[in-house]
Amino acid sequence: MTLGERIAASIGQTGPITVAEFMTLCLHDPLAGYYSVSPRLGERGDFITAPHISQMFGELLGLWAADVWRRLGGPLIRLVELGPGDGTMMADCLRAARAAPGFVEACEVSLVETSSPLRDAQSERLAGAPVAISWWNRWDEVPVDRPLIVLANEFLDCLPIRQTVCDHGRSCERYVGVDARATLAFVAADGGSADGPQIKEWSPALKDFGGRLGRTIAQTGGAALFIDYGGESASGDTLQAVRNHCRESPFANPGLADLTAHVDFTAFLDAAKLNGAQVTDLKDQGFFLRALGIEARADALRQANPGRSDLVGRQLGRLIGRDQMGSLFKVACVHEPGFTPPGFT
Ligand code: SAH
């Protein structure tokens, strides 16, 4: 029985489930969830993320973290990554950050990861890392014994969302149910159309996490950087399944496709602020990476290896191009009060 058939059978018995419950099953079901069983990241997998496009991405985040550390006064810190994928970004980050004397020695690394195949990939990739590394299932488990520097690329978009169908004054939650053939389909709570002219999204999980993170950063100190697909607020139906680099219906292959939604950064940052942290404005990824000096880093790579000059140029274009990830992806920082994180001005 596939995960989709199992979910449909369970809905047949106990009724429709929220979109958030459906997302959680597709991503984390212990027997068949995408991240639990066989997440495939990278060019030859299902989807590609910035650290896989170029080493420059992780390197600049490493230099960002070292600069934050210096601005904090050089204390012992805990470097946390949320959803570290196959460990590529942390490996690039630590390699580049060695350029900042004393930083790596001041770090203990904590990786927050639920996926056991990805934990294996991370531990392999980071085997020679010059720091102590520990793994945690949840953000709340990470020790808060020292200031935190948190990095998270494409983590928030995995947090489950709920949806509402809006139709000329009608407003009711959109659930995942089954149709007459007992296959998965969207249904509306009131039995009307589940495809109203407008779908609104909200994420209790994102808001809850924003609040917890804000409280911890305000109390323990430090800064947390979030890079994700999203914007000022949620708009429309953004639930997206991706498999072999192609979008498909979330009901086509539950558990075999990655499932994400646009991040409502405003809701997330407001929750962090309400809990005592300060937050930056939202910036485009292109703006942020330029502010950190990605163009100079690309020039250095081109000079060191002229044969790869075109490749580096293409990678740079993908990361910062306005019509590519440069403006689709947004960056924001949640930080301790009174701190000025680099890269936002
Ligand atoms: N940051 C990486 C991977 C992005 S994919 C990159 O940019 O390449 C999403 C990552 O978040 C995966 O590592 C996945 O296992 C992890 N993840 C998803 N939901 C999670 C959750 N609720 N708690 C912890 N990790 C989660």
Side-chain angles (χ1 to χ4, degrees), residues 28 35 41 49 51-52 83-85 112-115 118 153-155 158:
H28 304 295
Y35 286 114
L41 277 59
T49 58
H52 293 110
V112 178
E113 180 59 81
T114 45
S115 161
L118 287 178
N153 185 57
E154 294 211 42
F155 168 75
C158 294

Side-chain angles (χ1 to χ4, degrees), residues 130-148:
V131 286
I133 302 181
S134 55
W135 275 265
W136 309 90
N137 268 316
R138 296 167 49 93
W139 157 256
D140 305 47
E141 296 172 352
V142 173
V144 285
D145 49 351
R146 5 161 131 186
L148 305 170

Side-chain angles (χ1 to χ4, degrees), residues 18-345:
T18 62
V19 172
E21 288 169 309
F22 177 71
M23 262 182 103
T24 302
L25 289 168
C26 290
L27 295 179
H28 304 295
D29 178 84
L31 298 178
Y34 182 74
Y35 286 114
S36 314
V37 180
S38 68
R40 302 188 310 133
L41 277 59
E43 203 87 64
R44 275 187 247 130
D46 291 308
F47 63 99
I48 190 156
T49 58
H52 293 110
I53 289 175
S54 165
Q55 68 188 72
M56 293 186 283
F57 186 80
E59 289 171 349
L60 287 167
L61 294 199
L63 297 175
W64 181 86
D67 196 6
V68 167
W69 170 73
R70 193 183 52 77
R71 292 179 188 207
L72 288 170
L76 291 178
I77 55 132
R78 188 168 292 284
L79 179 62
V80 182
E81 187 177 352
L82 307 173
D86 66 359
T88 298
M89 187 175 107
M90 185 52 79
D92 292 340
C93 187
L94 290 172
R95 191 181 59 250
R98 283 203 204 132
F103 173 72
V104 172
E105 293 73 16
C107 275
E108 221 177 281
V109 170
S110 296
L111 303 178
V112 178
E113 180 59 81
T114 45
S115 161
S116 108
L118 287 178
R119 280 186 180 207
D120 292 346
Q122 292 152 20
S123 106
E124 203 171 303
R125 175 93 20 134
L126 294 165
V131 286
I133 302 181
S134 55
W135 275 265
W136 309 90
N137 268 316
R138 296 167 49 93
W139 157 256
D140 305 47
E141 296 172 352
V142 173
V144 285
D145 49 351
R146 5 161 131 186
L148 305 170
I149 298 178
V150 182
L151 304 173
N153 185 57
E154 294 211 42
F155 168 75
L156 298 177
D157 65 354
C158 294
L159 298 184
I161 54 144
R162 293 172 71 168
Q163 292 186 327
T164 302
V165 187
C166 302
D167 189 355
H168 303 105
R170 169 178 168 246
S171 169
C172 79
E173 184 153 4
R174 194 189 208 200
Y175 286 88
V176 175
V178 288
D179 61 18
R181 287 168 295 136
T183 54
L184 294 168
F186 286 117
V187 297
D190 63 0
S193 165
D195 298 310
Q198 203 194 359
I199 303 289
K200 285 196 179 141
E201 295 181 342
W202 84 104
S203 173
L206 179 72
K207 206 169 146 188
D208 177 68
F209 172 60
R212 287 166 193 270
L213 174 98
R215 199 171 318 126
T216 308
I217 291 290
Q219 284 169 1
T220 310
L225 187 71
F226 293 88
I227 304 165
D228 234 302
Y229 200 43
E232 299 281 348
S233 62
S235 59
D237 176 5
T238 72
L239 186 67
Q240 168 170 306
V242 172
R243 186 169 177 238
N244 293 325
H245 304 280
C246 295
R247 282 187 70 157
E248 61 178 36
S249 158
F251 303 139
N253 295 288
L256 299 177
D258 187 30
L259 197 54
T260 57
H262 280 206
V263 174
D264 178 351
F265 270 100
T266 304
F268 173 66
L269 296 173
D270 282 352
K273 253 193 305 195
L274 261 175
N275 283 276
Q278 282 184 358
V279 305
T280 62
D281 288 340
L282 198 58
K283 295 289 182 194
D284 287 351
Q285 174 171 298
F287 174 96
F288 180 73
L289 294 177
R290 274 200 191 90
L292 297 186
I294 195 168
E295 284 152 326
R297 179 71 191 127
D299 285 344
L301 284 176
R302 285 185 179 119
Q303 272 169 18
N305 197 339
R308 295 183 49 165
S309 182
D310 287 353
L311 176 68
V312 171
R314 282 198 300 278
Q315 294 172 339
L316 182 67
R318 282 180 81 176
L319 290 177
I320 68 172
R322 286 202 65 75
D323 50 344
Q324 304 193 52
M325 293 176 87
S327 56
L328 281 176
F329 277 72
K330 307 290 181 199
V331 187
C333 179
V334 174
H335 56 86
E336 65 179 59
F339 183 73
T340 306
F344 288 86
T345 51

